[in-house]
Amino acid sequence: MWPFNRKGVSGFSSSSTAEEVTEGVDGSGLTAVVTGASSGIGSETARVLALRGVHVVMGVRNMSSGKSVREEIVNKIPSAKVDVMELDLSSMASVRKFASEFGSSNLPLNILINNAGVMAIPFSLSKDGLELQFATNHIGHFLLTHLLMDKMKSTSRNTKTEGRIVNVASEAHRITYREGIRFDKINDQSRYQSYLAYGQSKLANILHANELSRRFKEENVNITANSVHPGIVATNLFRYQSIMNALTSALAKFVMKDVHQGAATTCYLALHPQVKGVSGKYFSDSNLATPSSKTSDKELAKKLWDFSLNTISA
């Protein structure tokens, strides 16, 4: 693992695990939605939240894998409350169906973890005709958050408990197209570069959280929104890059986090009392971090908000 594991102000470091950063925290009575919870840091996030008493709703594209993960969690944690619901973030119809079914469950919603994602994939379009990385990583989560917002607000108001939204972003947000977000060229295959398109979607994740935070403060809503860099984690995100996949396998134990460490910052933001009231910030290694200057561009954040709203309303 990283040799650079010096503890930050929070008392945690890059080597801290999700269990360690939530030790002693009681999540009983809370309900969380975790997207992409059937593998990688998503499944570890679901497991640790369940371990701390949170009722976890796993939003998964592959129901078979999701049910297997749920079974593993419940076998190890008999008291765990875990549900599995189908959710394909690349399809707006699927997102709407998930939100409708969640609403029908009459569950409260305290925590929303926008975790699912794809990375550096060959150019393709979603079912809705959007470049797949932007569609999955940003638009799907924007729509999901939009549809679940009234439930989060009412839960926070009725329980007098702070709601928390966590967008899983990446340091890759620094490596994007020159203009940051190519609003008029999202679907331009001729200029598509897989890693820059990934960076674009991750920049969108941070801008989304920042704009949510601004709006919550303006409306005096007791919900926070933050974004995280989970670290370079050995997961199947690299499956579309054969060279990177080989390097991942070879170097994982030396320079990469495992999923227990990769899920730490997400779980820290979801549950830890240290971050109560903290909103519109970017975290890495369970500590505050400094993102790129583009993330503080309020006009870019508003433009992205309006573009996204128009996209989901089309």
Side-chain angles (χ1 to χ4, degrees):
M1 221 331 269
W2 283 125
F4 314 109
N5 59 356
R6 182 180 301 170
K7 291 181 179 179
V9 174
S10 68
F12 304 114
S13 70
S14 63
S15 62
S16 298
T17 66
E19 284 198 25
E20 289 170 347
V21 303
T22 59
E23 187 175 359
V25 179
D26 183 7
S28 300
L30 302 178
T31 300
V33 167
V34 182
T35 71
S38 63
S39 65
I41 61 175
S43 61
E44 175 65 1
T45 298
R47 184 188 72 81
V48 172
L49 293 186
L51 178 67
R52 302 307 177 208
V54 178
H55 184 162
V56 178
V57 177
M58 300 168 54
V60 302
R61 191 172 49 134
N62 186 319
M63 285 295 286
S64 177
S65 296
K67 288 176 181 177
S68 294
V69 170
R70 180 195 177 280
E71 189 175 337
E72 288 177 16
I73 293 173
V74 173
N75 283 342
K76 293 177 180 177
I77 313 166
S79 61
K81 298 177 184 176
V82 185
D83 297 318
V84 183
M85 293 174 57
E86 188 172 9
L87 175 62
D88 180 354
L89 272 301
S90 71
S91 164
M92 284 192 265
S94 176
V95 175
R96 292 183 190 281
K97 183 172 182 287
F98 174 92
S100 176
E101 291 178 350
F102 181 83
S104 297
S105 72
N106 292 318
L107 286 170
L109 182 58
N110 307 93
I111 303 164
L112 173 59
I113 297 178
N114 292 320
N115 165 80
V118 291
M119 187 182 83
I121 60 175
F123 182 86
S124 60
L125 296 177
S126 70
K127 295 173 184 176
D128 303 296
L130 291 168
E131 188 275 311
L132 194 56
Q133 292 193 86
F134 194 76
T136 304
N137 297 352
H138 171 63
I139 292 297
H141 283 124
F142 182 91
L143 175 59
L144 180 66
T145 305
H146 179 73
L147 295 174
L148 295 179
M149 190 49 56
D150 284 346
K151 175 63 73 173
M152 287 204 75
K153 288 179 179 178
S154 64
T155 299
S156 173
R157 186 170 55 249
N158 294 337
T159 63
K160 295 181 172 50
T161 301
E162 178 181 87
R164 296 186 181 185
I165 297 174
V166 182
N167 281 2
V168 178
S170 169
E171 277 292 278
H173 80 274
R174 302 179 192 278
I175 308 170
T176 182
Y177 298 106
R178 189 175 47 136
E179 58 269 55
I181 310 287
R182 303 195 311 171
F183 295 104
D184 58 341
K185 302 185 184 71
I186 293 292
N187 293 345
D188 187 350
Q189 184 175 1
S190 66
R191 300 184 184 181
Y192 178 79
Q193 296 185 54
S194 61
Y195 280 104
L196 297 184
Y198 177 67
Q200 173 180 249
S201 71
K202 295 290 104 179
L203 173 60
N205 290 154
I206 301 174
L207 290 169
H208 177 215
N210 291 352
E211 182 64 10
L212 279 169
S213 176
R214 187 190 70 77
R215 289 168 181 262
F216 291 152
K217 289 173 184 175
E218 193 175 75
E219 298 170 20
N220 197 29
V221 173
N222 189 25
I223 302 175
T224 63
N226 293 288
S227 49
V228 310
H229 168 54
I232 304 174
V233 187
T235 69
N236 63 1
L237 264 184
F238 293 101
R239 62 189 177 278
Y240 292 101
Q241 306 294 323
S242 57
I243 295 176
M244 284 301 296
N245 199 29
L247 285 172
T248 299
S249 299
L251 301 177
K253 68 174 67 174
F254 301 107
V255 299
M256 291 184 173
K257 293 184 178 184
D258 59 30
V259 293
H260 308 289
Q261 296 156 333
T265 308
T266 300
C267 290
Y268 173 74
L269 278 174
L271 289 181
H272 208 288
Q274 280 183 353
V275 290
K276 183 178 181 180
V278 177
S279 190
K281 302 297 183 183
Y282 177 69
F283 286 76
S284 178
D285 299 332
S286 301
N287 283 277
L288 276 169
T290 303
S292 76
S293 59
K294 280 190 172 67
T295 65
S296 58
D297 186 333
K298 295 179 181 178
E299 287 304 311
L300 182 60
K302 186 178 185 306
K303 188 174 181 180
L304 175 65
W305 184 277
D306 292 341
F307 177 86
S308 304
L309 202 56
N310 287 335
T311 299
I312 65 172
S313 303

